Amino acid sequence: LVYYEPLPSGQTTHVLSLARGLHARGHHVTVVLPSALAPRVAAFQTFGVEVIPLAMRKVFWPLSSTRILYRLVRVGIQGRPDIVHIHSQEAGLSGRVIARAAGARAIVYTPQVIDIRRARWHGLYVAAEWLLAHSTARLVSVSTADRQRMIRWGIPAEKIDYIPNSVAISAPDGPVDAQAVRQAFGLAATCPLVMQVGRLSAQKNPLAFVEGAAQVLQTHPEARFVLIGEGPLREALIQRIADLALQDAVQLLGWRDNAVALMAAADVVTLTSAWEGAPYTLLEAMAQARPVVAPAVNGCPDIVVDGETGFLTPPGDTSAWARAVSALLADPELARAMGQRGYARVRERFAPTAMITAIEALYYQVLAAR
């Protein structure tokens, strides 16, 4: 399993879950991750998976890392691997080229996201995905919309499997003390709390969260807003919060290892992303029986049933986002009911066992085809 991610986020959650599940079923698993995520190595090692940190870049890897991955594919650690499963767009570009050159027996690829920030490079990116698909045994799309887009790009439909992400399920409203969490944030126990978890990057568009918060506060001045995550837009967010005089209402908490548990203290969990794959934040929030507000992009409509488990709003429409958040804050009973329906939906459709079983079956199909 090879993946790239500059900061801990959904990609790490996905690969960690997959590695744990495959290892539990008796497979030999090696995980190759970026050296920037060295603190995450221990999470994989706790259940006996071999982990190899490599210096990686978004597109072109250092020669030393290229050589190491080449040898891993060619020779392996416990023997030559049967499957090289590459995750993320970035690792998918260099990683598949290296794996192919090393004579990989079979390459599987999960991009998670198939959008890019710089629109002028989109045509080149699509051409690269189409070309590399020829040397890829199967592709895994985490959303139905993205699967259809890849088919329109000319990638054969029979090569693309839709396998949604999954999340660990526990009893809702579990051991987290919501009041204690709010006190730790310096918030009143009764104030409405809106939370967003994600990288502070252009993709996640956290500035829209701040802009939307200003609108919600016009009708719910007692509400408070929390952003959990790190990223390149942190300073811009600090400045925008100051410009709007929201220092008392909006907090940036940075990265928190217990972010999932903290969601249990929120009244509403949101996303304001410009694009997504199948975001773990939504799955994790719904697994905590929290109502969600998310943009109607990529895999979000696969996860959120609009009007039943939360609200979907047009991407970039902060007014629509603010209206949806305000509606949930104004009607706690509606919010509670949506949270319970969200919990039931995640339990039924997005349990880890289903994802592991589907990917394992895909591996066996690929090997049988060889």
Side-chain angles (χ1 to χ4, degrees):
L1 306 178
V2 184
Y3 79 102
Y4 172 87
E5 188 178 51
L7 294 168
S9 191
Q11 197 72 245
T12 295
T13 301
H14 178 80
V15 176
L16 182 63
S17 176
L18 179 58
R20 181 186 290 112
L22 292 173
H23 178 76
R25 296 185 181 203
H27 301 290
H28 297 288
V29 180
T30 299
V31 174
V32 179
L33 49 69
S35 53
L37 295 182
R40 299 292 160 197
V41 169
F44 289 93
Q45 292 176 330
T46 54
F47 52 89
V49 167
E50 184 77 31
V51 185
I52 300 175
L54 289 183
M56 297 182 186
R57 300 192 186 103
K58 281 191 172 185
V59 182
F60 300 109
W61 293 11
L63 183 58
S64 58
S65 298
T66 300
R67 287 172 174 167
I68 292 171
L69 182 59
Y70 181 94
R71 181 167 178 78
L72 283 171
V73 174
R74 190 76 177 175
V75 180
I77 294 177
Q78 302 182 55
R80 187 181 176 194
D82 296 297
I83 298 283
V84 178
H85 191 163
I86 299 176
H87 303 257
S88 73
Q89 290 172 310
E90 296 85 355
L93 295 174
S94 294
R96 280 186 287 175
V97 172
I98 297 167
R100 176 69 172 173
R105 288 173 170 166
I107 300 172
V108 175
Y109 171 50
T110 303
Q112 290 285 341
V113 175
I114 61 167
D115 290 271
I116 58 174
R117 179 180 177 185
R118 301 185 185 280
R120 68 178 181 272
W121 296 108
H122 179 72
L124 182 60
Y125 166 68
V126 171
E129 289 285 8
W130 178 84
L131 183 63
L132 289 170
H134 288 78
S135 61
T136 305
R138 297 277 275 276
L139 292 86
V140 176
S141 175
V142 297
S143 82
T144 54
D146 285 355
R147 181 178 184 273
Q148 291 304 315
R149 288 173 65 195
M150 288 190 282
I151 292 171
R152 291 196 294 270
W153 293 351
I155 299 173
E158 61 272 16
K159 272 197 168 190
I160 312 170
D161 294 79
Y162 165 58
I163 302 177
N165 289 333
S166 67
V167 66
I169 308 294
S170 59
D173 301 319
V176 173
D177 185 335
Q179 185 171 344
V181 170
R182 289 163 183 261
Q183 289 176 347
F185 295 161
L187 304 177
T190 57
C191 76
L193 177 58
V194 181
M195 184 179 294
Q196 183 155 305
V197 179
R199 293 187 307 279
L200 307 183
S201 65
Q203 178 198 345
K204 302 296 184 179
N205 195 15
L207 286 166
F209 180 83
V210 175
E211 301 285 349
Q215 296 185 39
V216 174
L217 287 164
Q218 294 175 14
T219 54
H220 296 275
E222 75 286 5
R224 294 297 178 263
F225 299 80
V226 168
L227 269 171
I228 297 177
E230 284 291 353
L233 292 182
R234 183 178 180 83
E235 292 304 317
L237 284 164
I238 292 173
Q239 184 60 54
R240 190 58 182 150
I241 290 169
D243 291 343
L244 295 173
L246 298 179
Q247 295 93 329
D248 293 335
V250 181
Q251 294 188 38
L252 305 181
L253 296 186
W255 175 257
R256 298 293 181 97
D257 286 328
N258 63 339
V260 175
L262 295 179
M263 289 184 194
D267 293 288
V268 182
V269 176
T270 79
L271 272 184
T272 51
S273 306
W275 69 89
E276 276 291 351
Y280 271 92
T281 291
L282 298 182
L283 294 172
E284 291 163 345
M286 290 164 65
Q288 295 282 355
R290 301 298 93 187
V292 297
V293 176
V297 296
N298 304 87
C300 294
D302 290 330
I303 298 172
V304 181
V305 180
D306 187 33
E308 292 187 19
T309 66
F311 291 114
L312 294 170
T313 61
D317 189 337
T318 54
S319 295
W321 179 92
R323 287 193 297 271
V325 171
S326 296
L328 290 169
L329 296 183
D331 191 342
E333 184 55 32
L334 172 65
R336 188 201 65 79
M338 283 188 166
Q340 291 297 326
R341 288 194 291 266
Y343 174 78
R345 180 172 175 79
V346 167
R347 188 180 183 88
E348 177 185 354
R349 295 174 177 265
F350 300 99
T353 302
M355 183 190 78
I356 303 301
T357 298
I359 291 178
E360 183 185 45
L362 183 150
Y363 290 167
Y364 282 124
Q365 291 168 18
V366 167
L367 293 176
R370 287 185 63 251

